[in-house]
């Protein structure tokens, strides 16, 4: 059955289905019950599944993640909502020192099937700590997987796949795109979770993005087409583990590669991707792999966020620079 | 026996031991009843002139006027968001006016009333919520730290600052603000442990406005919050947060104790957030209108006004004068906000470091060149 949903609604329905499928799934977070979360992603779930399955926690992120570890040891599948990206840090210790390492430390005897949902990124005019892109901190930590969805279809299926997955997953939701719509076939066979996907074919330059920047990359491709230039856009979908085979294949054809993300450029995901593409496709490259991202400054006050965030012009500018080589 | 050591004794020796499900109704320090009657409290007295009393009223009215104007400006799209203090004016003004010049205050994001008492220009606070900067006031000069949005972090900063005061042998004290929800954070608990362990001159001022966004107090604690202090080894007091006189008296006493080397106090100002958590919130999803109606009867401004007029401390002319001042303030805030210019784009590269780094300087230059390339262009 195909219906049109926003990303927010798709997540809500995906969570609902995961909870129906598995009684061990427990949602935990601040304000996720009666309020349905500040973005209403869990709207109506507490009413239908009760307070034991949709838990309004005390205001304590370390508490949420730390107790999730214990619940997971006891066979539950906690899905933790962090209200905003900037508030994950009180839980950071639990995530990187415990959640990420327990499987290895116990030689596989303990699994941590925990999903950490984080609305990430900027563009909503918020005050500080509400617009950050912390993915590299998590991707740099062995033992964690990091998913960043960009559209309702991946939101719907991705959240269910993440919950069913045996490893801990940081699940990044593109908050400024929560209201974007697309058709979702809820009876389809979903694509596997940890695979990237070419979302627009093209011949001149390969553009990689994930999460909120996929739309920006697609907009840039459309604008480039009007100028007679053809961009191939790849949605990474998962930033750890990276699925770069389709990217290598694409770059071997186009000879050019531009990576786009909101997070600061220095030591961001783009740096890793550029290195890997260079190692693998060196002889096919016509130009160095270029990165478009946030500046190396704190996320600025909202009146400047349009300057900070990569937009279609900055992507096109990088495409131009790539073509000039 | 000082008021504060007295206060320790109302704390359960074993918090919650009596009945965790039915927490004992604690003593609420009150100097002004909801009807506006001045009452005495055995441990807390307040020596205050008529002039000061009128000053407190003026503070309350102006701060509320500012808040109402800000909410309206947000609705009109001039602010990204606003965290209203409606209903909490007495807690904030009472606490703020208890501070002496050398004292330092560490706010969260809702302490506009305290900012007011520290002489922070309301337009600086408006700038933060408008998104032109992260709070334009000078925290050192105002002795009022920048707002802290990550819940609870400021309690550790306040404690560390107090440890500095202590080392300096200064007579100052520190006031840390937090909400009822914040008491659940690990960092807040760590702050209390440090404060107690080092006897730091810090007072934790918790505005228990009954909710952390949608989550009611009972989800954060099984015992009255002020009783938590006993577990950390320092006094806890619950004060009527809608009674500006009581808040002033209790906070002054706690700060005095801190100054005298008696260490921290935890104050629970029992109050209610009359508005939404912020302008993005919908409180009808989680609380009943009847609750709001009940709390309206304890309005902090109405009760002081009743007292002032009944006792002849202020007359109609005075009240009209304050209202007129409110209108002026609101007009200044409105025009100042609407006319506030956006920051220069390249300003985001400034002040990232005390000593600018070469890569960032290069990034700034590149950014400026890129920007300049659009000037006069079609973009
Ligand atoms: C570490 C952290 N987690 C979550 C949030 C989001 N948040 C902002 S205010 C708030 C509730 C705070 O409640 P309380 O401490 O009672 O203060 P109040 O807002 O009621 O004054 C939450 C959960 C945050 N700012 N910081």
């Amino acid at each position: 059955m195909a219906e049109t949903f926003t990303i927010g609604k798709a997540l809500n329905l995906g969570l609902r289905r995961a909870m129906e499928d598995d009684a061990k799934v427990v949602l935990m977070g601040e304000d996720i019950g009666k309020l349905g979360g500040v973005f209403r992603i869990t709207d109506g779930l507490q009413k239908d599944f009760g307070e034991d399955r949709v838990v309004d926690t005390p205001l304590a992120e370390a508490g949420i993640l730390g107790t999730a570890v214990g619940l997971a040891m006891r066979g539950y599948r906690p899905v933790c909502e962090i209200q905003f990206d900037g508030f994950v840090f009180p839980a950071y210790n639990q995530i990187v020192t415990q959640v990420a390492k327990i499987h290895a430390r116990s030689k596989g005897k303990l699994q941590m099937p925990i999903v950490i949902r984080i609305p990430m990124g900027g563009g909503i005019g918020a005050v500080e700590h509400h617009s950050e892109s912390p993915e590299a901190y998590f991707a740099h930590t062995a033992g964690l997987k990091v998913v960043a969805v960009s559209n309702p279809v991946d939101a719907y299926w991705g959240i269910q796949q993440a919950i069913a997955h045996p490893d801990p997953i940081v699940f990044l939701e593109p908050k400024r795109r929560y209201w974007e719509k697309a058709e979702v076939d809820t009876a389809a066979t979903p694509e596997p979770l940890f695979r990237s996907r070419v979302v627009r074919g093209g011949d001149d330059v390969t553009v990689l993005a994930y999460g909120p920047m996929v739309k920006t990359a697609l907009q840039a491709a459309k604008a480039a087409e009007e100028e007679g230039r053809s961009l191939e856009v790849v949605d990474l979908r998962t930033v750890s583990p990276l699925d770069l085979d389709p990217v290598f294949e694409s770059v071997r054809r186009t000879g050019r590669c531009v990576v786009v993300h909101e997070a600061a450029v220095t030591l961001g995901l783009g740096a890793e991707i550029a290195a890997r593409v260079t190692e693998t496709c060196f002889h096919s490259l016509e130009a160095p792999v270029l990165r478009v991202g946030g500046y190396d400054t704190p996320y600025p006050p909202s009146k400047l966020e349009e300057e900070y965030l990569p937009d279609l012009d900055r992507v096109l500018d990088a495409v131009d620079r790539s073509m000039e080589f | 026996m000082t008021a504060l050591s007295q206060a320790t004794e109302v704390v359960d020796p074993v918090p919650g031991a009596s009945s965790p499900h039915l927490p004992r109704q604690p003593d609420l320090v009150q100097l002004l009843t909801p009807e506006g009657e001045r009452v005495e409290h055995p441990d807390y007295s307040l020596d205050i002139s008529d002039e000061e009393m009128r000053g407190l009223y003026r503070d309350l009215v102006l701060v509320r006027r500012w808040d109402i104007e800000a909410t309206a400006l947000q609705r009109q799209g001039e602010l990204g968001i606003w965290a209203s203090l409606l209903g909490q004016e007495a807690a904030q003004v009472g606490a703020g006016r208890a501070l002496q010049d050398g004292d330092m205050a560490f706010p969260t994001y809702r302490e506009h009333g305290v900012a007011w008492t520290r002489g922070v220009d309301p337009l600086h606070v408006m700038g933060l919520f408008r998104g032109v900067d992260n709070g334009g006031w000078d925290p050192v000069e105002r002795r009022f730290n920048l707002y802290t949005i990550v819940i609870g972090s400021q309690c550790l900063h306040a404690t560390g600052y107090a440890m500095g005061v202590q080392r300096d042998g200064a007579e100052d004290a520190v006031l840390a603000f937090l909400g009822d929800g914040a008491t659940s954070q690990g960092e807040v608990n760590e702050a209390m442990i440090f404060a107690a362990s080092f006897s730091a001159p810090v007072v934790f001022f918790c505005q228990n406005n009954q909710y952390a966004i949608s989550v009611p107090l009972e989800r954060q604690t099984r015992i009255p919050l002020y009783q938590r202090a006993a577990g950390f080894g320092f006094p806890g007091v619950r004060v009527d947060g809608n009674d500006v006189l009581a808040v002033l008296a209790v906070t002054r006493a706690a700060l005095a104790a801190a100054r005298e080397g008696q260490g921290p106090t935890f104050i629970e100002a029992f109050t209610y957030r009359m508005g939404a958590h912020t302008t993005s919130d919908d409180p009808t999803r989680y609380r009943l209108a009847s609750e709001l109606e009940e709390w309206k009867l304890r309005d902090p401004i109405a009760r002081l006004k009743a007292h002032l007029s009944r006792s002849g401390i202020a007359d109609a002319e005075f009240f009209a004068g304050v209202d007129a001042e409110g209108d002026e303030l609101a007009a200044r805030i409105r025009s100042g906000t609407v006319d506030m210019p956006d920051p220069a784009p390249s300003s985001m590269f400034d002040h990232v470091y005390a000593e600018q780094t070469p890569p960032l300087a290069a990034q700034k230059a590149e950014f400026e060149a890129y920007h300049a390339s659009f000037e006069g262009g079609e973009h």
Side-chain angles (χ1 to χ4, degrees):
Chain A
M1 254 282 296
E3 272 185 83
T4 300
F5 301 128
T6 61
I7 290 184
K9 184 69 187 170
L11 288 165
N12 177 272
L13 293 171
L15 287 167
R16 174 177 289 277
R17 205 164 148 181
M19 293 184 79
E20 284 163 358
D21 289 351
D22 184 350
K24 293 290 188 186
V25 174
V26 176
L27 312 194
M28 308 167 67
E30 294 158 10
D31 302 290
I32 68 170
K34 272 192 193 161
L35 192 67
V38 292
F39 290 106
R40 309 288 184 264
I41 304 302
T42 54
D43 200 11
L45 297 179
Q46 189 181 64
K47 198 167 118 279
D48 296 342
F49 293 94
E51 292 188 13
D52 281 349
R53 303 236 9 233
V54 181
V55 185
D56 256 335
T57 65
L59 209 182
E61 288 77 9
I64 295 170
L65 263 299
T67 56
V69 168
L71 280 161
M73 286 176 175
R74 184 80 198 172
Y76 287 90
R77 304 186 92 83
V79 181
C80 304
E81 174 173 305
I82 298 294
Q83 208 156 67
F84 279 91
D85 33 55
F87 308 143
V88 71
F89 297 105
Y92 192 65
N93 169 50
Q94 285 290 337
I95 299 172
V96 304
T97 70
Q98 306 303 317
V99 174
K101 297 190 164 67
I102 284 175
H103 188 262
R105 218 194 314 145
S106 68
K107 296 202 169 70
K109 291 194 177 63
L110 288 171
Q111 292 193 345
M112 287 288 121
I114 297 174
V115 176
I116 306 162
R117 294 183 36 238
I118 310 178
M120 62 93 80
I124 62 160
V127 292
E128 59 179 350
H129 312 299
H130 289 74
S131 306
E132 325 230 318
S133 301
E135 64 269 25
Y137 295 120
F138 298 113
H140 196 65
T141 301
L144 297 177
K145 292 175 179 169
V146 185
V147 169
V149 296
S150 69
N151 62 69
V153 176
D154 286 345
Y156 178 77
W157 292 116
I159 192 66
Q160 295 180 58
Q161 292 165 319
I163 292 170
H165 192 75
D167 289 316
I169 295 182
V170 175
F171 192 89
L172 303 172
E173 302 172 2
K175 72 166 85 79
R176 74 161 132 154
R177 310 272 187 230
Y178 270 146
W179 299 273
E180 310 252 324
K181 291 181 181 169
E183 209 168 77
V184 181
D185 181 353
T186 54
T189 305
E191 287 187 44
L193 185 58
F194 306 110
R195 294 269 187 279
S196 59
R197 180 169 62 221
V198 175
V199 287
R200 181 185 170 113
D203 306 315
D204 295 335
V205 181
T206 305
V207 179
L208 313 186
Y210 53 88
M213 280 294 118
V214 173
K215 182 175 181 193
T216 307
L218 287 169
Q219 286 169 335
K222 191 149 179 269
E225 188 177 39
E226 284 157 24
E227 291 165 18
R229 208 166 258 169
S230 154
L231 308 189
E232 177 142 309
V233 179
V234 181
D235 179 353
L236 288 173
R237 298 175 73 242
T238 293
V239 298
S240 178
L242 280 168
D243 171 30
L244 292 180
D245 287 341
V247 176
F248 299 149
E249 200 179 299
S250 172
V251 171
R252 285 196 187 102
R253 217 159 19 77
T254 62
R256 297 171 204 278
C257 183
V258 171
V259 192
V260 187
H261 55 60
E262 285 188 27
V265 157
T266 298
L267 293 164
L269 259 294
E272 170 69 16
I273 294 167
R276 300 267 292 276
V277 170
T278 306
E279 279 168 15
T280 310
C281 307
F282 186 70
H283 296 292
S284 313
L285 282 169
E286 309 271 352
V289 181
L290 298 178
R291 291 168 291 165
V292 181
Y295 300 104
D296 297 325
T297 68
Y299 193 88
S302 60
K303 288 283 181 191
L304 293 182
E305 68 181 341
E306 294 307 325
E307 307 286 349
Y308 178 91
L309 292 169
D311 59 3
L312 131 175
D313 283 328
R314 280 173 59 198
V315 177
L316 291 176
D317 185 64
V319 166
D320 286 347
R321 279 187 288 132
S322 177
M323 296 298 289
E324 277 161 21
F325 279 92
Chain B
M1 197 182 267
T2 69
L4 286 166
S5 52
Q6 177 70 35
T8 330
E9 290 174 13
V10 301
V11 170
D12 270 351
V14 183
S18 42
S19 167
H21 300 294
L22 273 180
R24 179 161 68 94
Q25 248 323 318
D27 298 15
L28 191 69
V29 179
Q30 209 175 60
L31 296 181
L32 201 57
T33 68
E35 294 73 35
E37 295 297 338
R38 189 81 159 75
V39 288
E40 293 303 318
H41 189 279
D43 306 321
Y44 296 95
S45 59
L46 186 67
D47 195 11
I48 183 172
S49 69
D50 289 356
E51 185 65 37
E52 282 177 290
M53 196 90 88
R54 286 189 294 267
L56 290 173
Y57 177 81
R58 178 178 172 273
D59 286 338
L60 295 178
V61 170
L62 296 186
V63 160
R64 177 169 294 182
R65 194 74 169 82
W66 167 13
D67 186 72
I68 289 171
E69 196 61 32
T71 301
L73 282 163
Q74 195 282 335
R75 295 277 177 245
Q76 291 155 20
E78 297 292 344
L79 299 181
I81 195 170
W82 178 249
S84 166
L85 61 49
L86 193 68
Q88 299 179 223
E89 297 89 348
Q92 297 194 9
V93 166
R97 287 297 175 206
L99 290 162
Q100 297 181 0
D101 282 350
D103 295 344
M104 181 74 183
F106 286 84
T108 67
Y109 42 79
R110 203 190 290 287
E111 271 71 65
H112 324 313
V114 187
W116 171 263
T117 66
R118 299 308 270 167
V120 171
D121 187 334
L123 286 173
H124 281 146
V125 177
M126 297 300 277
L128 189 160
F129 288 95
R130 189 175 168 82
V132 305
D133 58 31
N134 294 323
W137 64 91
D138 179 342
V140 179
E141 183 208 22
R142 291 286 116 222
R143 300 213 187 268
F144 181 74
N145 193 41
L146 293 174
Y147 279 6
T148 299
I149 289 173
V150 181
I151 302 287
S153 294
Q154 76 283 357
C155 291
L156 281 166
H157 311 159
T159 302
Y161 188 96
M163 289 161 66
V165 167
Q166 195 174 38
R167 262 148 237 259
D168 295 345
E171 284 278 285
D172 303 324
V174 180
L175 193 54
F177 289 87
L178 66 153
D180 42 291
T183 61
S184 294
Q185 286 285 353
E187 291 184 3
V188 170
N189 289 271
E190 292 179 28
M192 298 211 209
I193 288 164
F194 273 64
S197 174
F198 295 107
S199 239
V202 57
V203 173
F204 299 100
F205 189 93
C206 175
Q207 291 169 77
N208 174 2
N209 63 10
Q210 314 300 329
Y211 288 91
I213 310 191
S214 71
V215 180
L217 181 69
E218 304 81 69
R219 183 43 52 92
Q220 318 289 346
T221 184
R222 284 170 75 151
I223 59 162
L225 282 177
Y226 80 98
Q227 291 184 5
R228 288 255 186 101
F232 292 101
F234 51 82
V237 193
R238 181 182 268 187
V239 61
D240 183 338
N242 288 19
D243 172 353
V244 70
L245 303 185
V247 174
L248 179 62
V250 167
T251 315
R252 262 190 194 163
L255 290 168
R259 259 186 266 284
E260 285 161 17
Q262 293 176 40
T265 301
F266 181 92
I267 298 173
E268 176 189 358
F270 200 78
T271 182
Y272 193 79
R273 151 164 68 73
M274 298 299 287
H277 169 71
T278 66
T279 42
S280 330
D281 172 41
D282 173 11
T284 62
R285 281 183 167 240
Y286 56 83
R287 67 185 192 192
L288 298 169
S290 58
E291 190 179 298
L292 197 68
E293 292 308 313
E294 235 173 79
W295 276 92
K296 269 189 194 154
L297 304 174
R298 303 178 214 178
D299 184 76
I301 298 185
R303 94 162 65 168
L304 185 60
K305 187 172 187 180
H307 173 64
L308 292 182
S309 39
R310 219 175 289 149
S311 58
I313 296 173
D315 56 14
E317 198 188 328
F318 168 77
F319 293 124
V322 173
D323 287 344
E325 234 189 302
D327 291 342
E328 266 169 52
L329 175 70
R332 183 170 93 79
I333 288 173
R334 163 162 296 268
S335 59
T337 302
V338 173
D339 297 340
M340 205 174 277
D342 287 354
S346 70
S347 64
M348 71 174 128
F349 295 92
D350 302 332
H351 310 298
V352 178
Y353 302 101
E355 196 177 289
Q356 179 69 311
T357 65
L360 195 59
Q363 213 174 66
K364 180 180 181 181
E366 225 173 86
F367 175 85
E368 283 171 340
Y370 180 66
H371 235 258
S373 73
F374 288 111
E375 247 129 66
E378 62 205 66
H379 293 279

